[in-house]
Amino acid sequence: MARRRLLLLLKPFDVFQFGQSGGASPITVPQAFRYLDNRRKVHKDAINFCQDILRKKSNIDWEPILRTNLSQPIRNFDLVVTVGGDGTLLQASHFLDDSIPVLGVNSDPTQVKEVEKFSNEFDATRSTGYLCAATVQSFEQVLDDILAGQKLPSNLSRISLSVNSQPLSSYALNDVLIADPCPATVSRFSFRIQRDGESCGQLVNCRSSGLRVSTAAGSTAAMLSAGGIAMPVLSEDLQYMVREPISPGAAIRLMHGIIKSDQSMKASWFSKKGVIYIDGSHVFHSIQHGDSIELSSKAPSLKVFLP
């Protein structure tokens, strides 16, 4: 069997640390303190466990890297394994094209009994891992199935964006939010759906707190929380929602809808300034009055091993 090259992308194990030396900890509930310390330990143990598994594999050449140190496109690997949660996999996706598959390992899954136990004190939710096909317990078996060709990746759609006809370098696996950088400021914009550059829907003028567009994979995240619909994960369509529209009147039916795979959305920004947030707050692009933004699902797909 040919040797495989694997990149192990790690969520830092110190992200749950708190209470700097010489300063008071913001955590006052003893149970919450122990909970956060346990999360750090569980994640660190998961990293060590996955590395131990890889050391036993004579047919794999692998190297680890913290996700915070990732700055260049990922090239010359046969597989990327992320250890963390959906956020770590999302970060990896911004450095991947459609040639290298990614496997997510949920290092710290939510424990239902723990959430119920502390429900009256604090939120004990850990990691959902919606896109993660493995946990620590199943990692070796899932990895062996992948190496043996018994488990194949799925192609997940991503969102491509351009501003004033200039493509942005990042694709969104989850969703895009276009809004004023100040959440209390009204966002003014218009949009229409088009196909092959020709309008196939009416112009919609909006005053609201922003515009969100999600992929099928991202439709179960913020979009669903805002009242959207959960889409089949392999769908190539996109879903959009105008956030908190102000006096939409008869246009209320146009505040939420689907962008088919052969369509795109063309938006015009009329506020003084704005920001395009891609898969959260870490990747963003500033815009200004008069800018034109186009979104579609024509981005290269991402190969992901799904649960």
Side-chain angles (χ1 to χ4, degrees):
M1 182 181 295
R3 297 182 67 82
R4 308 290 185 87
R5 297 200 68 229
L6 183 151
L7 181 67
L8 188 66
L9 186 64
L10 307 171
K11 176 181 179 179
F13 62 77
D14 60 350
V15 293
F16 305 111
Q17 287 184 345
F18 44 84
Q20 299 296 319
S21 176
S25 168
I27 306 298
T28 57
V29 180
Q31 294 92 332
F33 187 95
R34 288 192 291 270
Y35 158 79
L36 290 176
D37 192 51
N38 178 258
R39 288 204 65 182
R40 182 193 62 79
K41 181 181 184 301
V42 168
H43 177 62
K44 185 175 182 180
D45 288 347
I47 290 175
N48 291 333
F49 181 87
C50 291
Q51 290 178 326
D52 287 342
I53 294 296
L54 292 175
R55 289 188 186 103
K56 296 191 305 182
K57 303 297 180 183
S58 60
N59 59 336
I60 295 178
D61 293 322
W62 63 280
E63 59 182 80
I65 183 173
L66 294 176
R67 71 181 190 188
T68 49
N69 295 334
L70 193 60
S71 61
Q72 299 296 324
I74 298 173
R75 298 281 189 268
N76 303 317
F77 286 95
D78 300 302
L79 175 66
V80 173
V81 174
T82 64
V83 182
D86 287 334
T88 304
L89 193 150
L90 282 171
Q91 187 162 357
S93 75
H94 297 151
F95 297 89
L96 287 166
D97 58 18
D98 55 359
S99 65
I100 304 174
V102 58
L103 167 66
V105 179
N106 187 354
S107 63
D108 187 27
T110 293
Q111 303 171 27
V112 175
K113 290 184 178 180
E114 183 181 53
V115 174
E116 294 174 348
K117 178 180 179 181
F118 295 117
S119 61
N120 292 326
E121 299 178 58
F122 59 90
D123 181 9
T125 302
R126 294 183 181 236
S127 174
T128 302
Y130 176 73
L131 297 175
C132 295
T135 61
V136 168
Q137 289 75 20
S138 65
F139 172 58
E140 185 169 18
Q141 183 61 60
V142 173
L143 180 62
D144 287 345
D145 289 345
I146 290 172
L147 296 177
Q150 296 174 358
K151 187 174 180 63
L152 300 176
S154 299
N155 292 316
L156 298 187
S157 292
R158 292 191 282 185
I159 302 173
S160 67
L161 298 114
S162 64
V163 176
N164 300 327
S165 300
Q166 297 299 311
L168 300 188
S169 59
S170 293
Y171 306 120
L173 178 60
N174 222 28
D175 58 22
V176 169
L177 173 63
I178 308 174
D180 191 280
C182 174
T185 299
V186 173
S187 295
R188 292 175 169 82
F189 57 92
S190 66
F191 70 87
R192 69 167 76 240
I193 307 301
Q194 56 185 23
R195 180 184 289 111
D196 297 327
E198 299 295 328
S199 174
C200 55
Q202 71 182 76
L203 181 69
V204 183
N205 297 300
C206 301
R207 292 182 301 142
S208 74
S209 62
L211 172 68
R212 187 182 300 278
V213 180
S214 82
T215 63
S219 66
T220 59
M223 181 65 74
L224 185 63
S225 297
I229 58 173
M231 303 167 66
V233 71
L234 298 182
S235 172
E236 297 180 2
D237 296 340
L238 304 178
Q239 182 176 176
Y240 73 86
M241 180 177 288
V242 176
R243 298 198 316 166
E244 303 168 325
I246 300 173
S247 304
I252 186 66
R253 62 184 179 85
L254 301 173
M255 297 294 108
H256 175 224
I258 297 294
I259 306 169
K260 304 297 289 184
S261 61
D262 62 344
Q263 298 175 333
S264 63
M265 171 184 279
K266 186 74 169 290
S268 297
W269 190 252
F270 298 125
S271 291
K272 182 177 180 180
K273 55 186 177 180
V275 181
I276 301 173
Y277 297 100
I278 301 173
D279 287 338
S281 60
H282 298 296
V283 180
F284 59 89
H285 181 87
S286 296
I287 55 176
Q288 59 187 0
H289 184 278
D291 281 347
S292 175
I293 307 105
E294 186 168 357
L295 309 93
S296 75
S297 61
K298 294 179 176 60
S301 62
L302 184 72
K303 288 182 167 63
V304 181
F305 291 98
L306 295 176

